[in-house]
Amino acid sequence: MNLTNRDDFQEALVKNLIIVILGIVINCINGIIVLTFCKNSVFHSDSRYILYMNLVVNDMILICVSVTLYVLTYAYPIFNASMCYTWSVIGSTTHMNTPIILAGMAIERYIAICKPLHHAQICTVRRTYIIIALTWGVGFVPAVADVIIVLATRPIGFFSSVIFCIYLNLYNTRYHAEKVKVVQALYMSFVWLTLIYTYFMVFRTARAAKGDTASAKKAQNTILLHGAQLLLCMLSYITPLLDVVLISFFPIHRSKITFLCYLITNIIPRLLTPLIYSVRDQTFAKHMSKYYSCKVIIVKVKLKRRRLKCSSKRVCSSKG
């Protein structure tokens, strides 16, 4: 996060407008995706789309928390520590969820392509929701561990104090540093190994298949996009190091560097989510255009007007 005393009013206003507008755009698109899912029962029994909705909802929560905290660092940077920790736990959980959800979605595509006869038995709706619950539980554990370390190392009165709400102020003990190393090593190695394994298995199946290879190639491209999204998300883990390196070369542009790093590592990866499924998936794209195209809205408005006119004519004729 940026330090407000580095920016003048105009620069701070432009940065906040960019972040807020992008956050609103992303959440509006994701909101339409969620509504499309809820309005069409055809998606409710498909584990692929259920997992995708989990990713979309996770991104929406993450964007809300991230953008709110970013704006607060300018508008009201110092507030209650307990409130800051609450926001931090939510943001940390959703941040950790993203790579795990991507790994789960890659595994589902692997089963669908490499084990199509067993897909319906393995990827049931019930098991999909169990996986989602486990995902949130696994993502929640590191955030709770951070708070437990704070409770063990600081007096309880600290939570009623006021602080500048940034990560370094919240978690700055050596225990937190060790925990971060262990968690990132375990989580990221699992996720990357999963993506690499599923990609090559799908790739091998696509080359060996004699029949319909279009779905296998599409799944292969989807996993590649998952990898690209994960790579962008992983940049957030090296953002502090990236800031230090770049700022050492360009100390005058410290504020601009931190802003660009935040934009690239936290906001841009969430723009890929609609691209991966909503645009590339023909079924989902068809339903989205069906319910949210401008033409449909205009037709619905005209139909409502006609109905109102017809009902008013009937009322008038009955009175006459």
Side-chain angles (χ1 to χ4, degrees):
M1 293 295 181
N2 297 302
L3 299 175
T4 55
N5 58 5
R6 298 279 182 179
D7 299 340
D8 56 27
F9 177 77
Q10 185 177 2
E11 185 178 352
L13 180 63
V14 170
K15 289 178 180 178
N16 279 271
L17 281 175
I18 291 172
I19 295 299
V20 171
I21 290 171
L22 284 175
I24 291 172
V25 168
I26 293 170
N27 273 357
C28 284
I29 295 172
N30 286 338
I32 291 174
I33 293 170
V34 172
L35 286 175
T36 303
F37 175 83
C38 294
K39 282 180 172 288
N40 295 274
S41 58
V42 67
F43 301 124
H44 299 171
S45 58
D46 194 325
S47 59
R48 177 188 181 189
Y49 294 107
I50 296 171
L51 289 171
Y52 174 52
M53 283 306 106
N54 183 38
L55 179 64
V56 170
V57 172
N58 183 81
D59 281 355
M60 291 178 72
I61 298 172
L62 178 59
I63 286 292
C64 285
V65 173
S66 180
V67 171
T68 300
L69 288 176
Y70 186 90
V71 174
L72 285 175
T73 58
Y74 286 91
Y76 194 72
I78 301 176
F79 56 95
N80 184 265
S82 58
M83 182 63 66
C84 185
Y85 276 102
T86 302
W87 282 100
S88 175
V89 167
I90 298 171
S92 176
T93 301
T94 51
H95 185 264
M96 291 300 300
N97 278 350
T98 301
I100 304 171
I101 295 171
L102 291 174
M105 295 173 74
I107 293 172
E108 188 277 331
R109 285 293 83 199
Y110 158 74
I111 296 172
I113 301 303
C114 300
K115 301 180 183 295
L117 298 178
H118 302 286
H119 182 265
Q121 298 174 350
I122 298 173
C123 300
T124 61
V125 173
R126 182 174 176 273
R127 287 179 180 176
T128 303
Y129 282 113
I130 291 174
I131 291 297
I132 290 173
L134 289 174
T135 299
W136 281 87
V138 171
F140 186 61
V141 168
V144 174
D146 280 330
V147 176
I148 291 174
I149 293 172
V150 174
L151 287 170
T153 56
R154 293 193 176 185
I156 195 68
F158 171 76
F159 289 91
S160 60
S161 63
V162 290
I163 59 173
F164 190 83
C165 192
I166 58 174
Y167 185 86
L168 292 177
N169 282 355
L170 299 177
Y171 311 116
N172 54 8
T173 67
R174 63 184 182 88
Y175 303 106
H176 287 107
E178 294 299 323
K179 189 229 73 173
V180 168
K181 292 177 183 177
V182 173
V183 169
Q184 288 184 6
L186 289 175
Y187 278 48
M188 291 302 105
S189 58
F190 165 75
V191 172
W192 276 113
L193 286 174
T194 301
L195 285 176
I196 292 170
Y197 175 78
T198 53
Y199 173 79
F200 280 107
M201 291 301 292
V202 170
F203 177 75
R204 191 177 72 174
T205 302
R207 292 193 64 180
K210 296 180 181 179
D212 181 22
T213 60
S215 58
K217 289 182 178 179
K218 189 172 183 180
Q220 187 179 332
N221 293 333
T222 299
I223 294 174
L224 275 178
L225 285 172
H226 285 331
Q229 186 178 13
L230 180 62
L231 186 62
L232 286 173
C233 291
M234 284 187 66
L235 289 176
S236 60
Y237 293 110
I238 62 170
T239 297
L241 178 62
L242 194 63
D243 285 343
V244 171
V245 172
L246 292 176
I247 290 170
S248 63
F249 285 102
F250 309 101
I252 301 176
H253 303 290
R254 175 190 180 94
S255 181
K256 294 181 177 65
I257 290 170
T258 54
F259 167 73
L260 288 174
C261 287
Y262 169 72
L263 186 67
I264 293 170
T265 59
N266 287 272
I267 302 298
I268 300 301
R270 273 76 209 178
L271 284 171
L272 285 176
T273 301
L275 173 66
I276 293 173
Y277 274 88
S278 305
V279 177
R280 294 178 68 247
D281 189 277
Q282 294 179 358
T283 305
F284 211 97
K286 182 179 72 175
H287 284 282
M288 283 185 68
S289 62
K290 177 181 176 182
Y291 284 98
Y292 300 101
S293 64
C294 295
K295 291 182 180 179
V296 172
I297 294 172
I298 293 169
V299 170
K300 286 183 177 180
V301 170
K302 288 182 178 178
L303 287 174
K304 285 182 180 180
R305 287 179 178 176
R306 287 179 183 177
R307 288 173 185 173
L308 288 172
K309 287 181 180 179
C310 291
S311 61
S312 62
K313 287 180 180 179
R314 288 173 184 173
V315 171
C316 292
S317 61
S318 62
K319 287 181 178 180

